[in-house]
Amino acid sequence: LYTYASFHLTFTLAPLLILTLLSTPALRHPSSRSRLLAKLAALAALAVAYTTPWDNYIIWAGAWRYHPSRVAARIGLVPVEEYAFFVVQSIATALFAEAVFAHAHNNKNDLMDYVTCANFWIRWTPIALFFLMFSTGLLMVLSSTSPSTNRWFYLGMIISWVAPVLTLTWWYAGPFIAVRPVSLLVAIAVPTVYLSYADHCALADEVWIISPSSSTGVMVTAHLPLEEALFFLLTNTMLVFGLRAFDRGMAVVDVLLALRRSGGGGGGSQTFSYDECGGGGGAVAVAAADDARFAAACLRAGSKSFSAALCLFPRTARPDIAALYCLCRVCDDIADGPDAAVPATPGAVATEVGVKKMEEEKQEEAESPSPDDVDKVLRNLLRSGVPRCVPFRLVDELLSGFEWDLGVAGAGERAIDTERDLIDYAERVASSVGEAMLRIMWYHESSTSSGSSSLPSSTDDVPDELVLAARDLGVALQCINCARDIVTDANLGRSYLPTAWFPADNDA
């Protein structure tokens, strides 16, 4: 037979340990660790404070009870293991939700979506529904003067107890909660299903007992009443809403600090600043929202693999990495667009048959980004942390590589004749990105590992050997990319194969 303590050992503590281990990356850095621990502590404390009087009243009214031999001790009418359950459920659900939302999203970008989607209906329709829930639950509770004979009592107590919390959290952060509906559903559904199964096992073993006279009698499983399943659904919803409300508040702080830094000047000779590029620290929230949403969509559409891999980077570095990626993506789309005409080089002729076959199979032409799209990406880049950690020479080097692609300023007349030419091109379009990525990572690692709230002013202290390694990696990856895209590049009238590789007397 289970005791309440053995129930915890079997069903709750093991998942909590696993989720804690999976949260190790977030706990490693002082800034993210302090924020995560603050969220967990706040949720657990509020859960205990809000649930304790409700649970004592439920037991007093006889809606549920427990065998005295199955619990260690009581505080009031509630077993100490029940108080432990308040804490364990709060922390476990929050850690799981944190992992779900951190997988592919950034809170500052979610805040930008919040700004643009916070319309009347999204904000107030759920609040009206929660008010209806509260009223219905209250009517259920008051439908009989005796809880022990009121079959709607337990259901009404759950609904009327949960509704005020849902109302307050949605009023504060509703549109922010709603911007990621799939992640929201997963974060709520998975803990609900698992805890309902654990509850089913405990009820089957009579660790605790639900009074038939105070419940509807509707069963989800052979031992799980509707009320218990609904309890876990709604409590997990409260916890996830509370977590996202906390994230919304911190995202506001992050954006305000970022805008203050971006509008503060001081970008020395090595970096380019928002002010130097005609920006400002004024009322930019709505424009920033639109730009950030476009950049996020660009990232998801441009590379699903990179979008998924972004979760492996530190949370603070993700917006800057995404901003840099979007710059590269848009420039590459311009270079590969239908208007990007460039004289064909001898190597392109070798793939003429493959090109014709590809043209037959692919009827749709890629479209170049519009000037407005380019402006959005550039504005988002300048609002990010990239200007503070990436030297302007790297951006200039990257653009010179795209000049080579486009044939701008005579660059297209330079054929890739030798392997040295190929490496020169790869250094422009890939080594520049490799070094920029290194400096972004170094910049954020320096700020988080030190535990300081102030950000470094530059990345001058990056070791030379790391810079060389990052640049070499860029060349290697670009060469692989050129080899993979031989036919695709030929379709655009380009070849990145050195002409020295082809015999002079070979017509192909």
Side-chain angles (χ1 to χ4, degrees):
L1 295 177
Y2 284 119
T3 64
Y4 207 150
S6 65
F7 168 82
H8 275 303
L9 290 173
T10 304
F11 291 104
T12 64
L13 296 182
L16 179 61
L17 177 61
I18 293 171
L19 289 168
T20 302
L21 292 175
L22 293 176
S23 302
T24 300
L27 295 171
R28 186 178 58 185
H29 299 292
S31 60
S32 59
R33 178 173 64 243
S34 60
R35 182 172 294 190
L36 177 59
L37 293 178
K39 284 192 280 191
L40 297 179
L43 284 174
L46 289 171
V48 172
Y50 189 63
T51 310
T52 295
W54 179 87
D55 213 7
N56 274 273
Y57 178 70
I58 288 291
I59 294 176
W60 175 84
W64 80 274
R65 57 189 174 86
Y66 52 87
H67 288 293
S69 61
R70 304 285 188 94
V71 300
R74 295 181 306 174
I75 300 176
L77 299 177
V78 178
V80 292
E81 296 92 338
E82 180 82 351
Y83 291 103
F85 190 84
F86 301 161
V87 175
V88 171
Q89 181 188 358
S90 300
I91 295 177
T93 298
L95 286 175
F96 180 77
E98 186 79 4
V100 170
F101 284 103
H103 176 72
H105 309 308
N106 172 264
N107 286 330
K108 286 196 288 186
N109 288 340
D110 284 355
L111 184 68
M112 298 307 180
D113 285 349
Y114 163 88
V115 172
T116 56
C117 78
N119 62 49
F120 177 87
W121 297 107
I122 290 177
R123 178 176 292 280
W124 294 107
T125 301
I127 290 178
L129 293 176
F130 297 147
F131 180 78
L132 180 62
M133 282 176 55
F134 176 78
S135 303
T136 303
L138 199 60
L139 288 174
M140 289 179 177
V141 172
L142 299 176
S143 62
S144 174
T145 57
S146 175
S148 61
T149 59
N150 181 3
R151 61 193 300 263
W152 299 105
F153 176 75
Y154 191 23
L155 180 61
M157 284 295 297
I158 294 172
I159 294 174
S160 59
W161 169 67
V162 168
V165 176
L166 298 181
T167 301
L168 287 174
T169 51
W170 193 271
W171 172 79
Y172 174 71
F176 183 86
I177 296 170
V179 294
R180 306 295 176 212
V182 175
S183 297
L184 181 69
L185 291 175
V186 171
I188 295 172
V190 173
T192 298
V193 171
Y194 178 78
L195 291 174
S196 295
Y197 168 73
D199 193 34
H200 162 90
C201 296
L203 288 166
D205 204 35
E206 295 188 345
V207 178
W208 51 79
I209 301 167
I210 305 300
S211 172
S213 62
S214 299
S215 57
T216 60
V218 178
M219 304 299 289
V220 177
T221 68
H223 300 285
L224 182 68
L226 169 67
E227 290 84 353
E228 287 289 278
L230 187 64
F231 171 84
F232 288 114
L233 173 63
L234 293 179
T235 53
N236 286 320
T237 301
M238 281 199 301
L239 290 167
V240 175
F241 276 24
L243 181 78
R244 293 300 283 163
F246 191 104
D247 287 339
R248 187 260 186 188
M250 295 309 302
V252 171
V253 174
D254 290 339
V255 169
L256 291 176
L257 291 176
L259 289 175
R260 180 181 297 177
R261 290 193 298 266
S262 66
S269 59
Q270 190 194 18
T271 59
F272 57 101
S273 72
Y274 184 42
D275 283 343
E276 291 169 348
C277 296
V284 295
V286 175
D290 187 44
D291 298 342
R293 291 183 67 188
F294 177 82
C298 174
L299 175 60
R300 290 192 295 269
S303 177
K304 290 181 174 60
S305 59
F306 190 86
S307 179
L310 194 63
C311 69
L312 300 176
F313 292 96
R315 180 187 296 270
T316 56
R318 293 175 198 168
D320 296 345
I321 294 172
L324 177 66
Y325 172 86
C326 290
L327 172 68
C328 299
R329 179 76 271 160
V330 165
C331 290
D332 192 56
D333 288 345
I334 292 173
D336 291 345
D339 298 326
V342 65
T345 54
V349 181
T351 56
E352 182 177 356
V353 175
V355 169
K356 289 182 178 179
K357 183 177 180 181
M358 175 179 285
E359 288 176 341
E360 292 173 357
E361 294 175 351
K362 183 177 180 181
Q363 300 297 325
E364 296 181 358
E365 275 190 320
E367 294 184 0
S368 295
S370 69
D372 184 55
D373 291 345
V374 177
D375 288 344
K376 291 177 181 179
V377 170
L378 292 177
R379 287 195 302 263
N380 185 65
L381 178 77
L382 296 174
R383 291 189 186 103
S384 72
V386 174
R388 293 185 293 277
C389 51
V390 175
F392 185 77
R393 62 172 175 80
L394 293 178
V395 179
D396 190 52
E397 183 180 17
L398 175 65
L399 295 178
S400 72
F402 289 117
E403 277 187 345
W404 192 318
D405 286 330
L406 287 168
V408 177
E413 299 171 5
R414 279 192 61 183
I416 297 181
D417 295 322
T418 64
E419 292 179 11
R420 180 62 254 178
D421 293 333
L422 175 60
I423 293 174
D424 183 22
Y425 169 75
E427 286 178 338
R428 297 176 187 227
V429 297
S431 291
S432 57
V433 178
E435 183 180 345
M437 280 287 294
L438 169 66
R439 292 185 180 277
I440 290 174
M441 294 296 295
W442 186 269
Y443 177 80
H444 288 279
E445 181 69 21
S446 298
S447 62
T448 55
S449 61
S450 65
S452 172
S453 59
S454 61
L455 291 169
S457 59
S458 70
T459 54
D460 292 335
D461 58 338
V462 180
D464 291 340
E465 58 269 24
L466 289 183
V467 174
L468 292 175
R471 293 186 67 86
D472 286 345
L473 178 62
V475 169
L477 293 176
Q478 184 61 31
C479 288
I480 293 172
N481 188 58
C482 290
R484 182 196 65 187
D485 293 340
I486 290 175
V487 174
T488 304
D489 291 330
N491 193 32
L492 295 170
R494 303 176 184 144
S495 173
Y496 299 97
L497 302 178
T499 56
W501 290 1
F502 298 90
D505 58 349
N506 189 332
D507 292 337

